Amino acid sequence: MRVLVNSKIRKLFVQIGMCMAVIVMVSALPALWRIGAVAPRRNNLTAENMTFVSEVLMLSAPFCAIIMGGVALFFCYRYFRQQDRQMEEAVLQIRAFISGDKDARIDCDEEGELCRLFHEINSLAAILNAQAQKEGQSRAFLKNTISDISHQLKTPLAALNIYNGIVQTEAESGGLATIREFAGLSEQELDRIETLVQNLLKITKFDAGTMVIEKQQESICEIMTEVEKHFAFRAGQEEKQIVLSGSDSAFFSCDRSWILEALDNLVKNALDHTKGGDSIWLTWEKSPSAVRITVKDNGSGIHPEDLHHIFKRFYRSRYSQDTQGIGLGLSLVKSVAQAHGGAVSVDSRLGEGTSFVLLFPIITKL
């Protein structure tokens, strides 16, 4: 029986059992006396003496039963008083936890159903503490994110205000060339704001767990060709080359739109950090265990101090010459890779180029 796991309950049952045994023994003494079971020297006693002893034993049996019953009640009272004190202590600890003492716990090192309940309450308190800590971290993250967004938006908005003032001044004086120039700069800043907002919305969906990844078998060659087409015009304008290399028959299960999003960010990053005449290589290969996609360039490279931070949101290197980036593209790439059960890594050397590797494991059904 599970109730007997508790040592105090076992002790209580033993004590009550002993009291009952004493009562039974005392009740049986008169009968045993009559048949001589407890009177080995019966022949030396007179009939009157035997009758007297027998009557005394019969009269003492009820008193002994009352006494043993009282002892049993005392044992029960002591046990339930201990249980009551334990319950009161548990209530105090629960109230302390509710009042804000996150370290309040019910002390119970014994076995049994009641202690099992107390252990579960302690586990619940630990879970609630963990959730509260997580919520606190989420609030801190939200606060920092809002602060970062505000900081990121200040620069383009301030620039737009300046450009607008210049355009208005030039419009009054007829400076069409200046108006055209600053209209183009305004468009760049608006594009920057749009990119910032779109990437933030996408990353927020990943954080909230509301982004649905719909996988199906896709041709890697077709995906890479589509990425190349996205940037073919820009690459031609900047006299750069995008080179594709991989098997035409390689397929893997993925969400095509999100993989395109990740690759677009990597190729855009490569174009931003290369100069005229440089090249960007998009290669892929499939093995029985994984799909490996590489985006490599021979551009300016990444400073060694930045390699461990480039996937952080809004991270801007003090060594980078890029003034347009907002520090969200690589974070989005990491989120997409993780949502597909994969990972992204980087290898770079200053002045030699950078290589980003997306690795997606292939899960085979048993």
Side-chain angles (χ1 to χ4, degrees), residues 239-294:
E239 298 181 350
K240 301 171 185 177
Q241 185 179 16
I242 299 177
V243 181
L244 304 182
S245 176
S247 171
D248 294 343
S249 59
F251 286 77
F252 87 114
S253 179
C254 68
D255 188 310
R256 184 187 185 96
S257 61
W258 282 111
I259 294 297
L260 284 171
E261 185 76 35
L263 292 172
D264 281 352
N265 276 281
L266 291 177
V267 174
K268 179 183 180 299
N269 188 72
L271 289 171
D272 290 341
H273 295 87
T274 50
K275 59 182 182 298
D278 288 344
S279 298
I280 299 163
W281 292 271
L282 305 181
T283 62
W284 64 93
E285 56 183 337
K286 181 180 180 181
S287 68
S289 60
V291 170
R292 180 187 180 95
I293 299 175
T294 304

Side-chain angles (χ1 to χ4, degrees), residues 59-207:
L59 291 173
S60 64
F63 291 105
C64 182
I66 292 173
I67 293 173
M68 289 298 101
V71 172
L73 288 174
F74 170 76
F75 289 146
C76 291
Y77 168 76
R78 186 176 63 176
Y79 168 76
F80 286 112
R81 185 181 62 177
Q82 292 175 347
Q83 294 290 297
D84 182 68
R85 289 178 177 177
Q86 198 171 16
M87 291 294 293
E88 285 296 327
E89 178 63 24
V91 170
L92 290 175
Q93 293 298 321
I94 293 173
R95 288 177 178 173
F97 182 83
I98 295 174
S99 299
D101 184 4
K102 302 305 179 184
D103 296 325
R105 294 293 186 276
I106 302 174
D107 185 18
C108 185
D109 298 328
E110 301 175 2
E111 297 179 341
E113 293 301 304
L114 185 60
C115 288
R116 181 184 175 189
L117 174 62
F118 290 163
H119 286 310
E120 293 298 326
I121 293 175
N122 289 338
S123 299
L124 178 60
I127 294 172
L128 291 174
N129 279 344
Q131 290 180 345
Q133 183 178 6
K134 185 177 180 180
E135 289 178 1
Q137 292 174 348
S138 299
R139 286 194 296 269
F141 170 76
L142 180 60
K143 178 182 177 182
N144 294 334
T145 301
I146 292 175
S147 176
D148 289 333
I149 294 172
S150 300
H151 177 73
Q152 293 292 332
L153 288 175
K154 283 180 181 178
T155 302
L157 289 175
L160 284 172
N161 284 328
I162 294 172
Y163 298 159
N164 186 56
I166 295 173
V167 168
Q168 289 177 347
T169 302
E170 293 298 323
E172 294 175 358
S173 60
L176 295 179
T178 304
I179 293 175
R180 188 179 298 110
E181 176 186 355
F182 282 95
L185 292 174
S186 296
E187 185 177 0
Q188 290 179 8
E189 296 299 333
L190 289 171
D191 289 341
R192 183 181 178 187
I193 293 174
E194 182 182 5
T195 301
L196 170 65
V197 173
Q198 290 296 330
N199 284 340
L200 280 172
L201 289 174
K202 293 169 185 175
I203 291 177
T204 302
K205 288 182 178 180
F206 277 110
D207 288 342

Side-chain angles (χ1 to χ4, degrees), residues 314-334:
F314 301 107
Y315 179 76
R316 297 295 303 277
S317 170
R318 59 192 178 96
Y319 303 101
S320 176
Q321 301 299 317
D322 179 20
T323 59
Q324 297 299 318
I326 56 177
L328 280 178
L330 293 179
S331 178
L332 181 60
V333 171
K334 181 180 179 180

